[in-house]
Amino acid sequence: MLPIRVLSEIVPVTAPQPRTPFTAGRRQGPPRSKTRLTLLILVILAAILRLYHLGHLSLWYDEAATVVLSRDISVLPQSLSTSAPLPFVIAHYWNLFGHSELWIRLWAALFGIALVPLIWAIGKRLFGERAGLYAAALIAVNPLFVYYSQEARAYSLLPFFIVASAYCWLIALYRRNWLAPGLCAAFSLALAFYSHYYSVLWILSIPLSILIAARTKRNLVSAIWLDAKILVISLIFVAPWLAVFYDKATTTVSVADFWVPKPGLGVLLTSLKNMSAGFQAPPTAGAIAAAIIALGAVTGIICSLTRGRATEIRFVLVNLLLPIAAAFLISKIAKNSVYLDRCLIPSAAFLMLLAGYGISTLRRSVAWPIFLVFGCLISASLYNHYHNIIPDQKCCPGVRQRKEFRQSAEYIKSQIREGDLIGHTCRSSLAPFMVYFPEEQSQVVLASSREHRANIMRKYPYKGLWASKLSEMTLPIAVSDIPAGYRRLFLIGSEWDIDKGDFYSIEKRTILEHLDSMYPLQSHKEFYGAPVYVYDLAHPRVIKGTSVGTEVGSQAEPTNSQDSQ
């Protein structure tokens, strides 16, 4: 142990002061004008990081599927499989005013920016203004939050609404008139549910954290009564969608073999690294950044116990750890794993809140150099993000380098004529091309055999999964069954993971071999992840002793599906 004299030089010693829990308020930190200026600078920094290169990369499958399915929101209860509806509703109205990648992603970036002052507000309420500023700074530069603020999906909505609900819940707990903040807490919780179904984990953790943080029996009774009222109001808000949620949870999920890997204990350390420095951090830099965040969190826990803030720290720890533990245990017990860092991103927000408090308890001569070192470490992760680099694919299941779908589509647009068909070797490129091309353009997903198509239908017997136009189009047709009457085939040689050697890579090569034996190849142009092959369908090859429609050997469907979460 360090000598007391050394500890006092690092952490200022202050005696615990009697106070009401969850009301640190303005008692600690710099003057209000300086606080506002610092917060404004942090918001501007967050905006710069989230808006830079926002429209640089092509839409990937999940983003494009959001755009396509949002075109007709009246059929969302039927067309959505495992996704909640709010991102599609937002996209429906937002995309009325623009169609560029920058505009499509802008609403997600705005929620990501708004999370910064929200974290400051809850940090200020729990631990004081200085802690709130450090937590806001960590959120502003965190590569994981930057990444998902630049993706037109639910992963910037989820932490915003969860933190907003927790903040309003705290206000309602110690306010005589609980109704206004209580309604805000319930409405925010309902919006979190409509944003992403993983919000159920925090629908349980937030009220439980309020109960665990209660200091006296009287506080406990008040907390139980408040939790009951807010949860009932939340239930009323989400009631219209509960039947749809139950249907998807019990039918779609139960028949699909998910691609999410089963977690081991090592995945918890990976989650700490991803939540601290993003999954695009170099291994060494990511490990050091994670260690800094972990030490900050431990410091926050120790200081909270010595300074009479056990109530606040229990509240943060429950919302940080309980959802992670629940997702981990469910993944261990259930048939399908549900453990994904991107779906647990609200826990990352509470981790930054705890680490921010820990760093704020240090003397400035110690805290600022630590924060500077942390900023230098995560700059490597941000560089990789803006340059579309993922150092270790194993650390981030379901996340891949963005492919050049837009460039490939622009090339095809310059070449395509009436009577041409667009084909895909994998449905990963279908949704982006449905965005980049008009709806009347004919597109198909190809399979190497009819057996492959039959395997997919056996794999997904739930008809509702194919209710939308997008889902129906993802059903492949055999190469030998390409409809007659088309002049040329523009084939996009897509796959989920490039040259991985898995089913999709083998299927791509088999389809190309089959087409090469059937039709002349007119041209070929390379784009990263989306090469274009142009085949002349009007002049099929004639091979002595064989039929052009003869199929190659069939392959079994892989055990992992790439459905979005």
Side-chain angles (χ1 to χ4, degrees):
M1 295 180 60
L2 290 174
I4 298 298
R5 182 175 59 82
V6 177
L7 280 175
S8 65
E9 292 176 358
I10 299 175
V11 182
V13 178
T14 56
Q17 299 295 326
R19 56 182 183 77
T20 303
F22 303 127
T23 54
R26 309 186 189 92
R27 296 188 208 181
Q28 298 181 8
R32 178 175 295 183
S33 59
K34 188 176 179 180
T35 297
R36 289 177 176 176
L37 178 60
T38 304
L39 182 61
L40 177 61
I41 292 172
L42 292 176
V43 171
I44 293 173
L45 175 61
I48 292 173
L49 293 176
R50 285 153 179 78
L51 297 179
Y52 177 69
H53 263 22
L54 185 59
H56 178 66
L57 298 175
S58 301
L59 298 174
W60 75 292
Y61 180 86
D62 280 13
E63 289 181 302
T66 301
V67 174
V68 174
L69 295 178
S70 69
R71 289 170 178 169
D72 185 1
I73 58 176
S74 65
V75 298
L76 284 181
Q78 294 77 37
S79 62
L80 297 183
S81 54
T82 59
S83 298
L86 185 58
F88 300 86
V89 176
I90 293 175
H92 173 79
Y93 293 103
W94 186 266
N95 295 340
L96 294 176
F97 303 98
H99 303 285
S100 67
E101 286 89 347
L102 188 150
W103 181 259
I104 288 172
R105 294 171 176 143
L106 183 57
W107 63 266
L110 294 177
F111 276 98
I113 296 168
L115 180 62
V116 174
L118 184 59
I119 282 289
W120 168 79
I122 192 172
K124 170 188 171 184
R125 182 147 195 106
L126 290 170
F127 304 115
E129 286 186 343
R130 188 162 180 246
L133 288 175
Y134 274 103
L138 291 175
I139 288 288
V141 301
N142 188 294
L144 185 69
F145 288 91
V146 172
Y147 183 94
Y148 285 113
S149 294
Q150 294 195 327
E151 182 176 294
R153 295 287 287 166
Y155 304 112
S156 64
L157 296 177
L158 182 59
F160 178 84
F161 288 127
I162 290 297
V163 174
S165 180
Y167 175 61
C168 294
W169 217 304
L170 290 177
I171 295 176
L173 183 61
Y174 287 101
R175 181 173 289 186
R176 289 186 178 180
N177 185 3
W178 68 274
L179 186 58
L183 286 174
C184 289
F187 188 58
S188 297
L189 202 61
L191 288 176
F193 176 80
Y194 283 119
S195 299
H196 203 290
Y197 293 143
Y198 274 62
S199 60
V200 172
L201 299 175
W202 287 272
I203 291 176
L204 300 175
S205 74
I206 295 176
L208 182 60
S209 67
I210 295 291
L211 299 181
I212 292 176
R215 288 182 167 183
T216 64
K217 185 176 180 180
R218 182 177 180 181
N219 291 149
L220 181 61
V221 172
S222 300
I224 292 174
W225 179 230
L226 179 67
D227 285 354
K229 290 184 287 187
I230 293 178
L231 288 175
V232 168
I233 296 172
S234 300
L235 184 63
I236 294 173
F237 285 140
V238 303
W241 196 259
L242 286 179
V244 178
F245 170 70
Y246 177 80
D247 179 48
K248 307 301 182 183
T250 58
T251 314
T252 305
V253 176
S254 63
V255 300
D257 292 327
F258 274 12
W259 50 268
V260 184
K262 288 282 187 177
L265 291 177
V267 80
L268 299 177
L269 292 177
T270 301
S271 294
L272 175 61
K273 190 273 291 182
N274 290 343
M275 292 181 179
S276 303
F279 42 73
Q280 292 171 296
T284 303
I288 298 174
I292 291 175
I293 293 298
L295 289 174
V298 171
T299 302
I301 294 172
I302 294 173
C303 289
S304 68
L305 298 177
T306 60
R307 298 183 180 186
R309 294 191 181 276
T311 300
E312 289 85 346
I313 216 65
R314 287 198 296 266
F315 174 82
V316 175
L317 285 175
V318 170
N319 288 296
L320 164 60
L321 298 177
L322 183 62
I324 294 176
F328 184 86
L329 293 175
I330 291 171
S331 300
K332 284 291 190 181
I333 298 171
K335 172 187 175 184
N336 297 318
S337 174
V338 296
Y339 192 96
L340 276 177
D341 289 335
R342 64 187 182 190
C343 300
L344 296 170
I345 194 170
S347 285
F350 286 102
L351 176 62
M352 296 304 106
L353 184 62
L354 181 56
Y357 169 58
I359 296 174
S360 73
T361 61
L362 305 176
R363 295 186 183 276
R364 285 188 175 88
S365 59
V366 177
W368 288 5
I370 289 176
F371 200 86
L372 181 61
V373 170
F374 179 77
C376 293
L377 292 169
I378 63 171
S379 64
S381 181
L382 291 171
Y383 176 88
N384 287 341
H385 166 60
Y386 294 129
H387 290 81
N388 194 27
I389 299 172
I390 299 179
D392 187 0
Q393 189 72 56
K394 296 179 181 178
C395 293
C396 47
V399 179
R400 300 170 179 86
Q401 287 178 276
R402 300 299 175 87
K403 302 173 178 68
E404 295 180 345
F405 293 136
R406 180 181 60 214
Q407 295 86 334
S408 180
E410 290 173 351
Y411 169 75
I412 294 176
K413 284 180 180 180
S414 68
Q415 303 290 324
I416 200 167
R417 296 191 293 272
E418 186 177 353
D420 292 340
L421 174 68
I422 297 177
H424 307 263
T425 60
C426 176
R427 61 191 176 92
S428 64
S429 57
L430 174 63
F433 272 71
M434 291 178 69
V435 174
Y436 293 131
F437 281 88
E439 293 189 48
E440 56 270 17
Q441 174 62 52
S442 298
Q443 301 192 55
V444 294
V445 177
L446 296 179
S448 60
S449 67
R450 293 169 185 165
E451 284 78 6
H452 180 199
R453 183 185 189 281
N455 285 338
I456 288 184
M457 291 308 294
R458 285 193 295 269
K459 183 179 177 63
Y460 297 104
Y462 178 48
K463 294 181 180 179
L465 191 62
W466 309 111
S468 71
K469 180 180 179 182
L470 172 62
S471 297
E472 289 177 347
M473 289 181 66
T474 63
L475 284 174
I477 64 172
V479 175
S480 57
D481 294 332
I482 292 177
Y486 291 103
R487 298 173 59 254
R488 292 184 299 172
L489 171 67
F490 285 81
L491 181 70
I492 295 89
S494 56
E495 50 196 314
W496 290 107
D497 296 298
I498 299 175
D499 297 328
K500 185 180 179 181
D502 60 0
F503 170 85
Y504 296 101
S505 299
I506 298 172
E507 180 75 355
K508 170 187 169 181
R509 291 197 298 267
T510 307
I511 291 171
L512 289 172
E513 290 171 1
H514 197 11
L515 286 171
D516 286 338
S517 68
M518 295 171 62
Y519 305 104
L521 178 64
Q522 290 187 341
S523 63
H524 168 219
K525 190 170 181 62
E526 282 292 331
F527 297 95
Y528 179 75
V532 178
Y533 304 84
V534 184
Y535 288 95
D536 185 359
L537 301 183
H539 301 89
R541 298 182 189 276
V542 178
I543 304 175
K544 185 177 180 180
T546 63
S547 170
V548 170
T550 301
E551 293 186 358
V552 296
S554 62
Q555 302 175 54
E557 172 69 1
T559 58
N560 61 331
S561 167
Q562 297 293 336
D563 287 328
S564 60
Q565 292 294 306

